[in-house]
């Protein structure tokens, strides 16, 4: 069976939740319904054994400060996992089409590439070799023009290896070039589907399977809306090579099955191998007889 990430610490990890709902500058509208997403996510992750740090309506200065501080937390040494969940307006990054520029309340922007950089092997040593999950609930279309975008510094090759990103799974609520749909009463489609599927399936599914089911549910919404509102989940896998089970029940079941398979393999190896068959010995007379019977006439066999 595939190897799994270990989630046995208490708490399992820290979750940073940022929800920008109202915007004091620019022409972004209020993100109606996001308050429900904010409350549901806190309830969800606390129930799974995580500790939440949540923030509401951050301007550019506070947003970047909160992300930096979270990445530098010494408490990450004591836990097995880290999760970020950021909800705001956004649009496609003009430098990296796979990234998103996330809006702060004062009409400035932070690139998701900058956020990922804060959790690389150089900037966030306490979380090295530990699973890091980032959720971005934001649109990814062309969007608005921006005054200021926070992006990572370009690294130049020097002696030694460059800082790298590993064990990171980035989940976007929609595909590049598309918007992320939100109901003004019930919240964002992606967030509500995610909470629902985790509550129903976390006891028997690992995270990737959960996200695949969320994606299927979003596509079914597309059908229900008569094809007018398309949305699909987008993944970035940065050497996230193990299974991650969010619930204790699923972790315990997987460990039990793995142990049983290992014991079975050991028993199989200890069984005596059947004796090797002896090589087939054919005499000169048998060859002569066989050839004579087939061809009728055979010259002298030497």
């Amino acid at each position: 069976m595939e190897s799994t990430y270990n989630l046995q610490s208490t708490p399992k990890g820290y979750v940073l939740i940022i929800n920008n709902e109202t915007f004091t500058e620019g022409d972004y509208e209020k993100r109606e319904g996001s308050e429900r997403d904010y409350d549901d996510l806190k309830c969800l992750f606390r129930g799974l054994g995580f500790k939440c740090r949540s923030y509401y309506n951050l301007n550019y200065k506070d947003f970047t400060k909160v992300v930096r501080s979270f990445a530098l937390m010494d408490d990450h040494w004591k836990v097995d996992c880290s999760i970020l969940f950021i909800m705001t307006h956004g649009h496609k990054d003009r430098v990296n089409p796979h990234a998103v520029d996330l809006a702060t309340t004062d009409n400035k922007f932070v690139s998701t590439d900058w956020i990922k950089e804060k959790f690389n092997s150089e900037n966030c040593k306490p979380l090295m070799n530990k699973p890091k999950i980032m959720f971005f609930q934001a649109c990814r279309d062309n969007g608005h023009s921006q005054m200021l975008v926070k992006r990572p510094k370009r690294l130049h090759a020097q002696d030694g290896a460059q800082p790298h990103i590993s064990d990171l799974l980035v989940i976007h609520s929609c595909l590049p070039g598309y918007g992320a749909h939100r109901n003004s009463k019930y919240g964002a489609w992606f967030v509500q589907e995610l909470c629902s599927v985790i509550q129903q399936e976390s006891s028997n599914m690992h995270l990737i399977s959960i996200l695949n089911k969320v994606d299927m549910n979003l596509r079914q919404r597309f059908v229900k809306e008569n094809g007018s509102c398309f949305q699909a989940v987008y993944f970035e896998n940065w050497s996230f090579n193990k299974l991650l089970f969010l619930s204790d029940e699923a972790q315990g079941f997987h460990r039990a099955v793995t142990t049983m398979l290992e014991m079975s393999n050991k028993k199989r190896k200890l069984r005596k191998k059947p004796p090797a068959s002896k090589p087939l010995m054919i005499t000169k007379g048998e060859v002569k007889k066989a050839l004579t019977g087939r061809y009728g006439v055979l010259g002298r066999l030497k």
Side-chain angles (χ1 to χ4, degrees), residues 46-61:
R46 286 170 180 166
L48 290 169
F50 291 85
K51 192 170 183 178
C52 296
R53 300 199 171 187
S54 51
Y55 298 86
Y56 218 87
N57 291 334
L58 298 182
N59 60 26
Y60 176 84
K61 181 180 179 181

PDB file of all heavy atoms in Angstrom, residues 46-61:
ATOM      1  N   ARG A  46     -11.604  22.396  13.425  1.00  0.00           N
ATOM      2  CA  ARG A  46     -11.532  22.139  14.867  1.00  0.00           C
ATOM      3  C   ARG A  46     -12.047  20.743  15.186  1.00  0.00           C
ATOM      4  O   ARG A  46     -11.483  20.036  16.027  1.00  0.00           O
ATOM      5  CB  ARG A  46     -12.337  23.195  15.621  1.00  0.00           C
ATOM      6  CG  ARG A  46     -11.656  24.560  15.683  1.00  0.00           C
ATOM      7  CD  ARG A  46     -12.592  25.631  16.211  1.00  0.00           C
ATOM      8  NE  ARG A  46     -11.938  26.935  16.263  1.00  0.00           N
ATOM      9  CZ  ARG A  46     -12.582  28.082  16.424  1.00  0.00           C
ATOM     10  NH1 ARG A  46     -13.907  28.094  16.553  1.00  0.00           N
ATOM     11  NH2 ARG A  46     -11.911  29.224  16.457  1.00  0.00           N
ATOM     12  N   GLY A  47     -13.103  20.345  14.498  1.00  0.00           N
ATOM     13  CA  GLY A  47     -13.645  19.007  14.709  1.00  0.00           C
ATOM     14  C   GLY A  47     -12.698  17.904  14.276  1.00  0.00           C
ATOM     15  O   GLY A  47     -12.754  16.787  14.797  1.00  0.00           O
ATOM     16  N   LEU A  48     -11.809  18.214  13.329  1.00  0.00           N
ATOM     17  CA  LEU A  48     -10.833  17.229  12.852  1.00  0.00           C
ATOM     18  C   LEU A  48      -9.571  17.189  13.712  1.00  0.00           C
ATOM     19  O   LEU A  48      -8.685  16.374  13.466  1.00  0.00           O
ATOM     20  CB  LEU A  48     -10.447  17.542  11.402  1.00  0.00           C
ATOM     21  CG  LEU A  48     -11.531  17.298  10.348  1.00  0.00           C
ATOM     22  CD1 LEU A  48     -11.108  17.891   9.009  1.00  0.00           C
ATOM     23  CD2 LEU A  48     -11.825  15.804  10.198  1.00  0.00           C
ATOM     24  N   GLY A  49      -9.481  18.079  14.698  1.00  0.00           N
ATOM     25  CA  GLY A  49      -8.328  18.056  15.591  1.00  0.00           C
ATOM     26  C   GLY A  49      -7.251  19.075  15.267  1.00  0.00           C
ATOM     27  O   GLY A  49      -6.116  18.945  15.733  1.00  0.00           O
ATOM     28  N   PHE A  50      -7.593  20.094  14.480  1.00  0.00           N
ATOM     29  CA  PHE A  50      -6.649  21.166  14.165  1.00  0.00           C
ATOM     30  C   PHE A  50      -6.946  22.391  15.031  1.00  0.00           C
ATOM     31  O   PHE A  50      -8.043  22.544  15.565  1.00  0.00           O
ATOM     32  CB  PHE A  50      -6.754  21.561  12.686  1.00  0.00           C
ATOM     33  CG  PHE A  50      -6.251  20.511  11.734  1.00  0.00           C
ATOM     34  CD1 PHE A  50      -7.078  19.476  11.314  1.00  0.00           C
ATOM     35  CD2 PHE A  50      -4.956  20.556  11.247  1.00  0.00           C
ATOM     36  CE1 PHE A  50      -6.627  18.507  10.434  1.00  0.00           C
ATOM     37  CE2 PHE A  50      -4.492  19.601  10.367  1.00  0.00           C
ATOM     38  CZ  PHE A  50      -5.327  18.569   9.956  1.00  0.00           C
ATOM     39  N   LYS A  51      -5.959  23.260  15.125  1.00  0.00           N
ATOM     40  CA  LYS A  51      -6.130  24.519  15.843  1.00  0.00           C
ATOM     41  C   LYS A  51      -6.142  25.654  14.830  1.00  0.00           C
ATOM     42  O   LYS A  51      -5.233  25.767  14.004  1.00  0.00           O
ATOM     43  CB  LYS A  51      -4.999  24.717  16.850  1.00  0.00           C
ATOM     44  CG  LYS A  51      -5.245  25.850  17.831  1.00  0.00           C
ATOM     45  CD  LYS A  51      -4.220  25.835  18.955  1.00  0.00           C
ATOM     46  CE  LYS A  51      -4.517  26.920  19.982  1.00  0.00           C
ATOM     47  NZ  LYS A  51      -3.546  26.887  21.108  1.00  0.00           N
ATOM     48  N   CYS A  52      -7.175  26.482  14.886  1.00  0.00           N
ATOM     49  CA  CYS A  52      -7.377  27.520  13.867  1.00  0.00           C
ATOM     50  C   CYS A  52      -6.900  28.887  14.337  1.00  0.00           C
ATOM     51  O   CYS A  52      -7.074  29.259  15.498  1.00  0.00           O
ATOM     52  CB  CYS A  52      -8.853  27.612  13.494  1.00  0.00           C
ATOM     53  SG  CYS A  52      -9.507  26.122  12.708  1.00  0.00           S
ATOM     54  N   ARG A  53      -6.324  29.622  13.387  1.00  0.00           N
ATOM     55  CA  ARG A  53      -6.017  31.035  13.564  1.00  0.00           C
ATOM     56  C   ARG A  53      -6.712  31.763  12.422  1.00  0.00           C
ATOM     57  O   ARG A  53      -6.332  31.597  11.263  1.00  0.00           O
ATOM     58  CB  ARG A  53      -4.512  31.268  13.549  1.00  0.00           C
ATOM     59  CG  ARG A  53      -3.811  30.506  14.672  1.00  0.00           C
ATOM     60  CD  ARG A  53      -2.442  31.023  14.990  1.00  0.00           C
ATOM     61  NE  ARG A  53      -1.917  30.403  16.193  1.00  0.00           N
ATOM     62  CZ  ARG A  53      -0.793  30.760  16.792  1.00  0.00           C
ATOM     63  NH1 ARG A  53      -0.077  31.755  16.291  1.00  0.00           N
ATOM     64  NH2 ARG A  53      -0.383  30.149  17.889  1.00  0.00           N
ATOM     65  N   SER A  54      -7.727  32.529  12.742  1.00  0.00           N
ATOM     66  CA  SER A  54      -8.593  33.096  11.710  1.00  0.00           C
ATOM     67  C   SER A  54      -8.569  34.620  11.736  1.00  0.00           C
ATOM     68  O   SER A  54      -8.479  35.240  12.801  1.00  0.00           O
ATOM     69  CB  SER A  54     -10.024  32.582  11.892  1.00  0.00           C
ATOM     70  OG  SER A  54     -10.457  32.758  13.227  1.00  0.00           O
ATOM     71  N   TYR A  55      -8.665  35.204  10.528  1.00  0.00           N
ATOM     72  CA  TYR A  55      -8.603  36.660  10.371  1.00  0.00           C
ATOM     73  C   TYR A  55      -9.647  37.097   9.353  1.00  0.00           C
ATOM     74  O   TYR A  55      -9.951  36.371   8.403  1.00  0.00           O
ATOM     75  CB  TYR A  55      -7.206  37.092   9.914  1.00  0.00           C
ATOM     76  CG  TYR A  55      -6.117  36.754  10.901  1.00  0.00           C
ATOM     77  CD1 TYR A  55      -5.506  35.495  10.874  1.00  0.00           C
ATOM     78  CD2 TYR A  55      -5.705  37.661  11.867  1.00  0.00           C
ATOM     79  CE1 TYR A  55      -4.511  35.161  11.780  1.00  0.00           C
ATOM     80  CE2 TYR A  55      -4.705  37.339  12.778  1.00  0.00           C
ATOM     81  CZ  TYR A  55      -4.116  36.089  12.729  1.00  0.00           C
ATOM     82  OH  TYR A  55      -3.131  35.758  13.628  1.00  0.00           O
ATOM     83  N   TYR A  56     -10.127  38.312   9.562  1.00  0.00           N
ATOM     84  CA  TYR A  56     -11.216  38.838   8.740  1.00  0.00           C
ATOM     85  C   TYR A  56     -10.836  40.203   8.185  1.00  0.00           C
ATOM     86  O   TYR A  56     -10.363  41.069   8.914  1.00  0.00           O
ATOM     87  CB  TYR A  56     -12.476  38.966   9.608  1.00  0.00           C
ATOM     88  CG  TYR A  56     -13.770  38.611   8.924  1.00  0.00           C
ATOM     89  CD1 TYR A  56     -14.225  37.300   8.906  1.00  0.00           C
ATOM     90  CD2 TYR A  56     -14.539  39.584   8.301  1.00  0.00           C
ATOM     91  CE1 TYR A  56     -15.423  36.963   8.303  1.00  0.00           C
ATOM     92  CE2 TYR A  56     -15.738  39.264   7.680  1.00  0.00           C
ATOM     93  CZ  TYR A  56     -16.174  37.947   7.685  1.00  0.00           C
ATOM     94  OH  TYR A  56     -17.359  37.617   7.063  1.00  0.00           O
ATOM     95  N   ASN A  57     -11.032  40.399   6.880  1.00  0.00           N
ATOM     96  CA  ASN A  57     -10.853  41.694   6.217  1.00  0.00           C
ATOM     97  C   ASN A  57      -9.474  42.310   6.486  1.00  0.00           C
ATOM     98  O   ASN A  57      -9.329  43.282   7.239  1.00  0.00           O
ATOM     99  CB  ASN A  57     -11.955  42.670   6.647  1.00  0.00           C
ATOM    100  CG  ASN A  57     -13.314  42.274   6.094  1.00  0.00           C
ATOM    101  OD1 ASN A  57     -13.402  41.612   5.060  1.00  0.00           O
ATOM    102  ND2 ASN A  57     -14.373  42.676   6.775  1.00  0.00           N
ATOM    103  N   LEU A  58      -8.459  41.763   5.833  1.00  0.00           N
ATOM    104  CA  LEU A  58      -7.087  42.236   6.016  1.00  0.00           C
ATOM    105  C   LEU A  58      -6.654  43.119   4.844  1.00  0.00           C
ATOM    106  O   LEU A  58      -6.854  42.762   3.678  1.00  0.00           O
ATOM    107  CB  LEU A  58      -6.125  41.048   6.121  1.00  0.00           C
ATOM    108  CG  LEU A  58      -6.341  40.090   7.297  1.00  0.00           C
ATOM    109  CD1 LEU A  58      -5.285  38.992   7.277  1.00  0.00           C
ATOM    110  CD2 LEU A  58      -6.326  40.828   8.626  1.00  0.00           C
ATOM    111  N   ASN A  59      -6.043  44.255   5.180  1.00  0.00           N
ATOM    112  CA  ASN A  59      -5.441  45.067   4.125  1.00  0.00           C
ATOM    113  C   ASN A  59      -4.084  44.472   3.748  1.00  0.00           C
ATOM    114  O   ASN A  59      -3.644  43.470   4.321  1.00  0.00           O
ATOM    115  CB  ASN A  59      -5.316  46.532   4.565  1.00  0.00           C
ATOM    116  CG  ASN A  59      -4.448  46.698   5.812  1.00  0.00           C
ATOM    117  OD1 ASN A  59      -3.567  45.887   6.093  1.00  0.00           O
ATOM    118  ND2 ASN A  59      -4.703  47.752   6.572  1.00  0.00           N
ATOM    119  N   TYR A  60      -3.429  45.106   2.792  1.00  0.00           N
ATOM    120  CA  TYR A  60      -2.179  44.558   2.253  1.00  0.00           C
ATOM    121  C   TYR A  60      -1.123  44.355   3.342  1.00  0.00           C
ATOM    122  O   TYR A  60      -0.498  43.292   3.435  1.00  0.00           O
ATOM    123  CB  TYR A  60      -1.653  45.499   1.168  1.00  0.00           C
ATOM    124  CG  TYR A  60      -0.320  45.113   0.591  1.00  0.00           C
ATOM    125  CD1 TYR A  60      -0.230  44.188  -0.443  1.00  0.00           C
ATOM    126  CD2 TYR A  60       0.861  45.679   1.077  1.00  0.00           C
ATOM    127  CE1 TYR A  60       0.998  43.837  -0.981  1.00  0.00           C
ATOM    128  CE2 TYR A  60       2.091  45.332   0.547  1.00  0.00           C
ATOM    129  CZ  TYR A  60       2.154  44.411  -0.481  1.00  0.00           C
ATOM    130  OH  TYR A  60       3.367  44.058  -1.002  1.00  0.00           O
ATOM    131  N   LYS A  61      -0.930  45.354   4.172  1.00  0.00           N
ATOM    132  CA  LYS A  61       0.100  45.281   5.209  1.00  0.00           C
ATOM    133  C   LYS A  61      -0.189  44.157   6.193  1.00  0.00           C
ATOM    134  O   LYS A  61       0.700  43.358   6.532  1.00  0.00           O
ATOM    135  CB  LYS A  61       0.190  46.623   5.943  1.00  0.00           C
ATOM    136  CG  LYS A  61       1.245  46.658   7.036  1.00  0.00           C
ATOM    137  CD  LYS A  61       1.286  48.028   7.717  1.00  0.00           C
ATOM    138  CE  LYS A  61       2.327  48.052   8.832  1.00  0.00           C
ATOM    139  NZ  LYS A  61       2.361  49.387   9.509  1.00  0.00           N
TER     140      LYS A  61
END
